[in-house]
Amino acid sequence: MKKQKTLIVSAFVTINVIKICIFYFFNDLHVFQITWTEDLLIVFIAAIAVSALPFNLSLLMYAVFDFVISAVVMIDTGYLRIFSRMLPLDALKQARLLPHINIAIMEVFHWYEWLVLLTPVVYAIMAFAFKKKKGSTTDMNSATRVLTLYFKILTACVLFAVSLRYLNFVQKKVYNDPWNQPSDMLLLKKLGLLGFHYNEAVLRIKKGKKTRFSDEEIKKAQEILKKHRLKGSDTYKELAGSYSGYNIIVVLMESLQAFMIGQILHGQELTPTLNKLLNESLYFSDFYSTVSMGNTSDAEFSVNNSLLPLPDDSVYVSYYARDYIALPSILAEKGYGTYVFHAYRPNFWNRSKAYLYQGIQKFFYDKYFRIDEKIGLGLSDGSFFRQVVSKMEKLPQPFYALVITLSNHYPYKLPPDLIALDLSFIGYEQFRNYLESVHYMDTALGIFIEKLRKTGILDRSILVVFGDHFAPMNNAYLTMNTIKKFFKTSGTPFERSRVPLFIRLPGGHPSAVIDKSGSHRDIEPTLLYLTGYYRENIPMLGENLLAEGEGFVPFLYYFGNGSWLNRSKYFYLKRGERLRRGRCFSRTEKRKLPYEECKAGIERARREIRASEVLIKGNLIKKIFKYKKFN
């Protein structure tokens, strides 16, 4: 039996070390660039601890541990390929949603990669081969067994202590800036696959879920938000308050980036509808997504609340039940009906619960639509838009409607009969699929706008069209190289976060291209300016995009905390990078600037991110602003 147990322990260690190597191979990470210390310690701790159990139970636990490691390899691989990041523990709160996005998940993997999940079968075979016969005895007496058990437990404890010590050593080296967390790739290289999640779990336990803040932090947050007052516009002063009582239709275009707006490839117009919209809208060409872990839901949140998302969590999932003063709530007080149209499951991103605190009166989710044509995750955008107009015609006016598309979701695969472009000259297949998918979404939007025009709704409405976040692809490096090869870009490190924003006013005028820098949080103040519904006790971190100025965009999550941009310069910092290594750059003069010229922007970006976090987690919005409803 002793030899059999030794063989099983050896098999467990060997199989799982190979499995971790496979993870690095799957994701183009060189095994010799990884520090294996934490991975090996965790595997040995599990192997020794389980070996102390009775034989049959130990086989079962080996199989369980093996399956867990297999699952970590597969889930991290999928998440890394879709989002270019490792799976954070907080994302497990959305694990129940995985069956709803199975098309995207299946598309990520090759068939042979699923074989990793079959390794627990090895232990079933061993259990059968080494089945203990009745009446058989071990070759150890009771005293020896107790001593062996004690030695194994002691060894496991010593290794666990060493692993914590090593983890603490690495943390001191890589967490050199409390504001700027290290990148996932840096942590992966220093700690390995298992060590990455081990580190996150330890930090999560230490940190906990903070909802109470010091008086000083609250005061700072209050001062920052009270400095953000709505500014008027000299250029567009005639628009101030001119659209009181008009419908507001906000169209969130899934994964739409700005680099293709107005572009023609080999005589083919990629976004004809949006290009046409340029002639009857205010188009903001230097507009950015600042989403965090909540992706699309973060974009929705920032648009409706003029706050930044959380740097370490999803607002809709973990902090939805707060006293928000959201745009739909403000409009409802002025007699608006407030609605969301999204032909998908209501619990995705916890929307059905979150909307109750955002002032949404009715959510039209998948059950309200006839699923007569499917693309990707669900109802096609073409059918969706047609059905939305039919429902809007029956709504009392004025109304606020957030309309969320679905077809241009990863993995961007259209049915062959809907492909209308010839992009064979682009070598990267997934990028070709993305452009074709965007073209289809754009065509569906065109149908929507024309139907709104025919019903008369369009010219009784402010129409807002914007992109929520960058398009996740399997190879981020190849994606950016392809974009630079075929398209004109902003020339900043934040290009992948640049998304379009169109605001079409009734009548289709004025129209202009505005290069003021902005982000999702600036949409609400701009709409409040146009409708005249702004009051000083409405909290907002954004600004009126029609007001004069350079604008200001703080970045988080995908970039180092302290990264920011305005019309004339930017500061780019990688996650985990020391501040002084960041890049301060003049956009107008096309040259590098001294760090000191960006320091004020760094401090502002960090203050605003922190202020938003304090308000959300501490549920302080209505308390600070002493909010009262409109009379």
Side-chain angles (χ1 to χ4, degrees), residues 66-85:
D66 190 281
F67 181 79
V68 168
I69 293 173
S70 296
V72 167
V73 167
M74 295 301 287
I75 291 171
D76 272 325
T77 296
Y79 201 86
L80 191 60
R81 288 176 180 176
I82 295 175
F83 298 108
S84 303
R85 287 208 64 192

Side-chain angles (χ1 to χ4, degrees), residues 309-325:
L310 297 172
D312 59 354
D313 213 331
S314 162
V315 177
Y316 271 21
V317 174
S318 300
Y319 297 92
Y320 66 91
R322 293 291 188 267
D323 296 324
Y324 294 110
I325 307 173

Side-chain angles (χ1 to χ4, degrees), residues 274-346:
L274 292 174
N275 296 349
K276 183 180 177 181
L277 201 57
L278 284 169
N279 298 320
E280 49 184 287
S281 300
L282 298 168
Y283 175 62
F284 299 86
S285 60
D286 203 41
F287 189 80
Y288 295 84
S289 167
T290 53
V291 299
S292 181
M293 290 179 64
N295 289 320
T296 300
S297 68
D298 280 345
E300 295 176 38
F301 175 78
S302 289
V303 166
N304 281 331
N305 294 271
S306 192
L307 295 172
L308 292 164
L310 297 172
D312 59 354
D313 213 331
S314 162
V315 177
Y316 271 21
V317 174
S318 300
Y319 297 92
Y320 66 91
R322 293 291 188 267
D323 296 324
Y324 294 110
I325 307 173
L327 178 61
S329 300
I330 296 166
L331 295 174
E333 292 172 16
K334 300 298 289 184
Y336 281 66
T338 56
Y339 310 96
V340 173
F341 297 86
H342 184 43
Y344 201 55
R345 301 175 188 266

Side-chain angles (χ1 to χ4, degrees), residues 394-414:
K394 300 171 185 175
L395 297 177
Q397 298 186 36
F399 60 78
Y400 168 85
L402 174 61
V403 181
I404 306 170
T405 68
L406 186 62
S407 296
N408 193 44
H409 198 284
Y410 183 96
Y412 323 112
K413 283 209 169 179
L414 290 177

Side-chain angles (χ1 to χ4, degrees), residues 81 85 118 166 181 322 347 350 434 448 460 531:
R81 288 176 180 176
R85 287 208 64 192
L118 298 180
Y166 177 75
Q181 299 299 301
R322 293 291 188 267
N347 62 342
N350 202 36
Y434 171 67
F448 177 63
R460 295 198 301 272
T531 56

Side-chain angles (χ1 to χ4, degrees), residues 154-434:
L154 181 63
T155 303
C157 289
V158 169
L159 287 176
F160 182 68
V162 171
S163 73
L164 281 177
R165 189 75 178 172
Y166 177 75
L167 187 64
N168 186 55
F169 168 74
V170 173
Q171 286 174 348
K172 285 181 178 179
K173 293 192 73 173
V174 299
Y175 288 90
N176 50 63
D177 182 349
W179 283 93
N180 190 21
Q181 299 299 301
S183 69
D184 290 358
M185 290 301 106
L186 176 61
L187 286 173
L188 194 61
K189 288 178 181 179
K190 296 292 184 182
L191 294 170
L193 173 62
L194 302 182
F196 176 90
H197 293 295
Y198 181 34
N199 170 68
E200 192 179 9
V202 170
L203 291 177
R204 181 63 59 187
I205 292 168
K206 287 180 181 179
K207 184 179 177 183
K209 187 175 179 179
K210 187 175 181 180
T211 57
R212 293 183 179 274
F213 298 89
S214 68
D215 291 341
E216 184 181 355
E217 283 182 302
I218 294 171
K219 186 179 178 181
K220 285 181 180 178
Q222 186 174 8
E223 288 172 353
I224 289 167
L225 266 87
K226 287 195 171 180
K227 286 179 182 177
H228 283 76
R229 292 288 179 259
L230 192 73
K231 294 179 182 178
S233 169
D234 292 332
T235 308
Y236 298 101
K237 60 183 176 182
E238 75 281 359
L239 301 182
S242 296
Y243 301 97
S244 174
Y246 280 76
N247 304 317
I248 299 175
I249 302 173
V250 179
V251 182
L252 184 156
M253 303 284 274
E254 172 65 38
S255 302
L256 179 64
Q257 293 181 237
F259 63 82
M260 65 192 74
I261 304 300
Q263 299 293 309
I264 296 176
L265 284 183
H266 287 212
Q268 302 169 100
E269 205 172 4
L270 297 179
T271 56
T273 299
L274 292 174
N275 296 349
K276 183 180 177 181
L277 201 57
L278 284 169
N279 298 320
E280 49 184 287
S281 300
L282 298 168
Y283 175 62
F284 299 86
S285 60
D286 203 41
F287 189 80
Y288 295 84
S289 167
T290 53
V291 299
S292 181
M293 290 179 64
N295 289 320
T296 300
S297 68
D298 280 345
E300 295 176 38
F301 175 78
S302 289
V303 166
N304 281 331
N305 294 271
S306 192
L307 295 172
L308 292 164
L310 297 172
D312 59 354
D313 213 331
S314 162
V315 177
Y316 271 21
V317 174
S318 300
Y319 297 92
Y320 66 91
R322 293 291 188 267
D323 296 324
Y324 294 110
I325 307 173
L327 178 61
S329 300
I330 296 166
L331 295 174
E333 292 172 16
K334 300 298 289 184
Y336 281 66
T338 56
Y339 310 96
V340 173
F341 297 86
H342 184 43
Y344 201 55
R345 301 175 188 266
N347 62 342
F348 196 78
W349 287 120
N350 202 36
R351 284 187 172 102
S352 57
K353 292 181 180 178
Y355 288 156
L356 297 175
Y357 296 86
Q358 295 291 313
I360 298 299
Q361 295 165 354
K362 187 166 184 177
F363 178 19
F364 292 90
Y365 51 91
D366 58 350
K367 299 299 182 185
Y368 287 89
F369 293 88
R370 187 176 67 259
I371 311 298
D372 53 4
E373 182 184 45
K374 289 188 72 174
I375 292 178
L377 300 185
L379 181 65
S380 71
D381 285 348
S383 178
F384 170 66
F385 276 131
R386 286 191 290 270
Q387 294 184 56
V388 167
V389 176
S390 297
K391 295 180 190 303
M392 281 183 174
E393 286 185 277
K394 300 171 185 175
L395 297 177
Q397 298 186 36
F399 60 78
Y400 168 85
L402 174 61
V403 181
I404 306 170
T405 68
L406 186 62
S407 296
N408 193 44
H409 198 284
Y410 183 96
Y412 323 112
K413 283 209 169 179
L414 290 177
D417 59 310
L418 291 179
I419 295 175
L421 301 174
D422 178 10
L423 301 175
S424 55
F425 55 90
I426 296 177
Y428 185 14
E429 181 183 4
Q430 191 176 51
F431 190 78
R432 288 201 309 269
N433 293 343
Y434 171 67

